[in-house]
Amino acid sequence: MSEYQILAVIAAFVFLYCLVASKLERTQFNGPLVFVACGLILGPYCLNLVAMDIDGETLKTLAEITLAVVLFTDSAGANLPVLLRIKRLPVRLLLIGLPLTIALGFCTGSLIYTHLNWIELALLATMLAPTDAALGQAVINNEAVPSSVREGLNVESGLNDGICVPVLLLFLAISSDSLDQGAVLTQMLQLPLQAIGIGALVGIASAVIGCSSINASVKRDWIDGAWTQIPVIALAVACFASSQWLGGSGFIACFVGGLVFGGLIREQKQPLLKAADGTGDVLSMITWFIFGALFIGDCLLQPEWQAILYAILSLSVVRMVPVFLAVAGMGLQTDSKLFMGWFGPRGLASIVFIVMVNEANLPGSKTLVQAVTWTVLLSVILHGITANPLASIYANRVKARGDKV
């Protein structure tokens, strides 16, 4: 197949989607759902108009950069006064809800996958613990939803993938028998502190340097017009890559860097972020398209009932129970807890993680790929279809009660 044919098909798809994107965003058929479906239909398992020879590392890099840009721009646009007011909510979701999600995911997996060893079960639970900031945009950007809930979910999704990275690396190291018992205890402390600490420092430093440079440039009229579309994207990628290079979490760096950037930038904040959002949308479109073209077909042709069952439980019980326990005593209504519990979509971070785990060549790799792929696929479908309707229903209930959530 000619590479120009592939390029032509993808370019035509992007062009056509852009013409109706604004309309579709107000319906149940959000971007990721359309991208995955088109990737499947146009890919090698259906029409075979796009037969891409893309290895796992390429997809991993694309998903990482996409997630880095989305995290940076989302956190830069966060409402800091609201975030400071409700800071207990994301803190509880991260420090209580996230460990409970991994633990419950492990227990659920042990009941369904009796042939997997404990390391593989731990990897599966960790891969599906982080929520996706990009896939959750339909809710986070919906101003009908109370700002406290939106900001809480945004911070949770922005930080949980970065926190899960060292946990995943620790389990991978144990699976390779490269650590003795003493080293395991050391790594359990060192990896999270290193990932979070270096990531946060790189994020802060990148934001301060970036803001100072942009503010000075704008003040002297050195940057304007089309050039305003590039700095935030370049800063986000530099922030991510620098943190990864130094041994930290690039995702933590991007989220923290975005928060600091959004608080410090004085000139042209909205034009800068709007241009960056467009680039993030394009990267997301391509990533989801490739995921649909290369991964979904195998799962549909050779479905495993265990994977489908685990995916359903992962998106419901495994997510909702920890959320309920994490926010207990905060005075939240049941519908608020259900709303936050349901909108924990799985996406780009899980795709990055499954490529990392697949490269380890574990005995249960095929099973893990099926479980993660089905979970992400069902998340794209179910969260995409329910985002706008449930957000409207929830917002109306909150408004009717007069709650300040």
Side-chain angles (χ1 to χ4, degrees):
M1 179 177 294
S2 169
E3 60 188 34
Y4 296 111
Q5 176 184 335
I6 298 174
L7 181 61
V9 171
I10 294 178
F13 161 67
V14 172
F15 175 78
L16 292 173
Y17 180 80
C18 290
L19 299 180
V20 296
S22 181
K23 176 66 174 178
L24 286 177
E25 286 176 356
R26 296 191 293 270
T27 70
Q28 291 92 329
F29 303 101
N30 66 347
L33 178 57
V34 175
F35 307 153
V36 170
C38 288
L40 174 63
I41 293 170
L42 299 176
Y45 293 96
C46 291
L47 299 181
N48 198 30
L49 295 177
V50 178
M52 295 172 287
D53 185 18
I54 296 178
D55 57 19
E57 189 62 31
T58 301
L59 179 59
K60 171 175 169 284
T61 302
L62 177 60
E64 283 180 334
I65 294 175
T66 301
L67 189 54
V69 172
V70 171
L71 288 174
F72 193 95
T73 55
D74 283 353
S75 59
N79 189 326
L80 293 181
V82 172
L83 187 54
L84 291 174
R85 176 170 62 83
I86 55 96
K87 57 182 179 293
R88 283 198 310 150
L89 178 58
V91 167
R92 286 195 177 201
L93 289 174
L94 290 167
L95 297 186
I96 301 175
L98 182 59
L100 287 176
T101 299
I102 295 176
L104 188 53
F106 178 91
C107 294
T108 303
S110 65
L111 296 175
I112 297 175
Y113 292 113
T114 55
H115 65 286
L116 294 181
N117 60 45
W118 77 268
I119 285 290
E120 292 168 333
L121 291 170
L123 286 170
L124 176 60
T126 305
M127 285 187 288
L128 291 174
T131 53
D132 184 7
L135 195 56
Q137 286 308 294
V139 168
I140 293 173
N141 290 337
N142 191 331
E143 295 186 0
V145 177
S147 58
S148 56
V149 173
R150 288 189 284 121
E151 294 299 335
L153 291 173
N154 191 30
V155 173
E156 181 201 12
S157 62
L159 293 177
N160 57 16
D161 41 21
I163 295 173
C164 284
V165 169
V167 178
L168 189 78
L169 292 176
L170 175 64
F171 288 137
L172 284 174
I174 296 174
S175 71
S176 65
D177 295 325
S178 61
L179 297 177
D180 55 35
Q181 288 187 340
V184 169
L185 294 176
T186 302
Q187 291 293 305
M188 285 179 66
L189 296 175
Q190 180 180 340
L191 280 176
L193 292 176
Q194 176 180 315
I196 296 171
I198 293 177
L201 289 175
V202 170
I204 293 170
S206 300
V208 171
I209 294 172
C211 284
S212 301
S213 303
I214 291 174
N215 286 332
S217 179
V218 171
K219 185 176 180 179
R220 292 169 175 77
D221 291 327
W222 289 353
I223 180 174
D224 198 4
W227 291 107
T228 59
Q229 301 178 32
I230 301 175
V232 174
I233 298 298
L235 186 60
V237 174
C239 185
F240 172 81
S242 298
S243 181
Q244 294 286 112
W245 175 34
L246 296 174
S249 168
F251 301 134
I252 294 286
C254 284
F255 192 82
V256 173
L259 281 177
V260 176
F261 180 87
L264 295 179
I265 195 70
R266 297 191 305 270
E267 305 289 345
Q268 297 191 3
K269 176 179 178 178
Q270 293 308 316
L272 287 167
L273 293 182
K274 189 173 182 179
D277 283 338
T279 302
D281 289 342
V282 172
L283 290 173
S284 295
M285 184 186 306
I286 296 172
T287 303
W288 287 115
F289 185 92
I290 294 173
F291 177 73
L294 300 184
F295 280 81
I296 304 302
D298 281 335
C299 287
L300 295 180
L301 290 176
Q302 297 179 321
E304 297 179 359
W305 69 265
Q306 296 96 330
I308 298 173
L309 176 60
Y310 187 88
I312 294 172
L313 293 175
S314 178
L315 296 175
S316 55
V317 177
V318 173
R319 162 70 182 178
M320 290 181 174
V321 171
V323 168
F324 267 71
L325 294 175
V327 301
M330 292 188 66
L332 295 176
Q333 297 291 332
T334 301
D335 56 359
S336 295
K337 297 176 185 178
L338 286 171
F339 187 82
M340 289 188 293
W342 172 243
F343 284 106
R346 319 299 157 78
L348 296 177
S350 296
I351 293 174
V352 172
F353 290 167
I354 192 57
V355 174
M356 294 169 61
V357 171
N358 200 36
E359 291 174 348
N361 294 318
L362 300 173
S365 289
K366 184 178 179 182
T367 298
L368 297 180
V369 170
Q370 273 263 353
V372 173
T373 302
W374 270 109
T375 304
V376 173
L377 174 60
L378 291 181
S379 180
V380 168
I381 296 172
L382 297 176
H383 289 115
I385 291 175
T386 61
N388 289 324
L390 290 186
S392 297
I393 294 171
Y394 170 61
N396 290 333
R397 288 175 62 91
V398 171
K399 185 177 180 180
R401 289 198 307 261
D403 291 353
K404 295 181 179 179
V405 199

